[in-house]
């Protein structure tokens, strides 16, 4: 637009709606949980301990199995231009969290047993609107860990025979 033809804005109203969760992928091979939101999120606002992986869409009073993450690192995907803000958050699961999820017999064993509960606050959009608490079905792919276990170490006490 030619600057001589540009018009000044007379009224501006920022976004007032909160981001929503659109898709989820739990990849136990890459040890990552990928969350796709309806709009760009502020990656630095993401709280990994607000995520609970559960086996059903129900309240915890209904006796469902689940596990709330205790840590992990979060990164938003970079755009082609290199900006850090995006609508996708990737959680690199911590080793203790990953092992706990893998030990649970009724959670994250198939798409039908993998749901995510996000408590409030969990993430903000670029103007500070916070995602509301929700439980969502897995809308992506659950990629199971099919690797054979590897022994990382052992201890032997020759005095006690153990």
């Amino acid at each position: 637009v030619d600057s001589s033809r540009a018009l000044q804005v007379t009224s501006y109203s920022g976004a007032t709606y909160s981001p929503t969760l659109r898709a989820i992928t739990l990849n136990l091979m890459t040890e990552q949980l990928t969350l796709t939101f309806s709009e760009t999120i502020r990656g630095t606002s993401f709280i990994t301990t607000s995520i609970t992986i559960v086996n059903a869409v129900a309240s915890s009073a209904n006796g469902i199995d689940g596990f709330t993450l205790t840590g992990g690192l979060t990164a938003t995907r970079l755009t082609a231009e290199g900006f850090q803000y995006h609508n996708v958050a990737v959680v690199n699961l911590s080793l203790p969290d990953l092992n706990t999820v893998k030990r649970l017999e009724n959670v994250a064993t198939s798409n039908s047993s993998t749901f995510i509960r996000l408590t409030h606050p969990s993430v903000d959009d670029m103007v500070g609107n916070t995602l509301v608490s929700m439980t969502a079905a897995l809308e992506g792919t659950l990629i199971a860990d099919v690797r054979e276990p590897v022994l990382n170490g052992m201890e032997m006490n020759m005095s006690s025979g153990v």
Side-chain angles (χ1 to χ4, degrees), residues 37-61:
F37 296 93
S38 58
E39 61 182 289
T40 301
I41 59 166
R42 187 178 309 276
T44 56
S45 72
F46 197 84
I47 302 170
T48 57
T49 55
S50 69
I51 301 171
T52 302
I53 302 171
V54 295
N55 70 340
V57 177
S59 68
S60 59

Side-chain angles (χ1 to χ4, degrees), residues 8-16 127:
Q8 183 174 358
V9 174
T10 57
S11 174
Y12 173 76
S13 175
T16 58
V127 296

Side-chain angles (χ1 to χ4, degrees), residues 57-114:
V57 177
S59 68
S60 59
N62 292 341
I64 61 171
D65 291 328
F67 174 72
T68 301
L69 299 182
T70 62
L73 299 174
T74 305
T76 52
R77 292 219 172 124
L78 296 178
T79 64
E81 294 81 26
F83 296 111
Q84 65 177 347
Y85 304 112
H86 203 274
N87 69 322
V88 177
V90 179
V91 178
N92 294 310
L93 300 172
S94 68
L95 185 58
D97 285 354
L98 179 68
N99 286 334
T100 299
V101 169
K102 288 179 181 182
R103 273 195 298 272
L104 296 173
E105 293 181 8
N106 298 320
V107 178
T109 57
S110 68
N111 285 355
S112 63
S113 69
T114 306

Side-chain angles (χ1 to χ4, degrees), residues 126-140:
M126 296 306 294
V127 296
N129 297 317
T130 302
L131 179 88
V132 294
S133 299
M134 63 176 298
T135 302
L138 180 70
E139 295 180 26

Side-chain angles (χ1 to χ4, degrees), residues 15-42:
T16 58
Y17 51 89
S18 296
T20 58
L21 188 60
R22 292 280 173 93
I24 305 160
T25 300
L26 178 59
N27 187 328
L28 297 176
M29 291 290 288
T30 62
E31 304 170 357
Q32 293 179 325
L33 173 64
T34 303
L35 306 167
T36 303
F37 296 93
S38 58
E39 61 182 289
T40 301
I41 59 166
R42 187 178 309 276

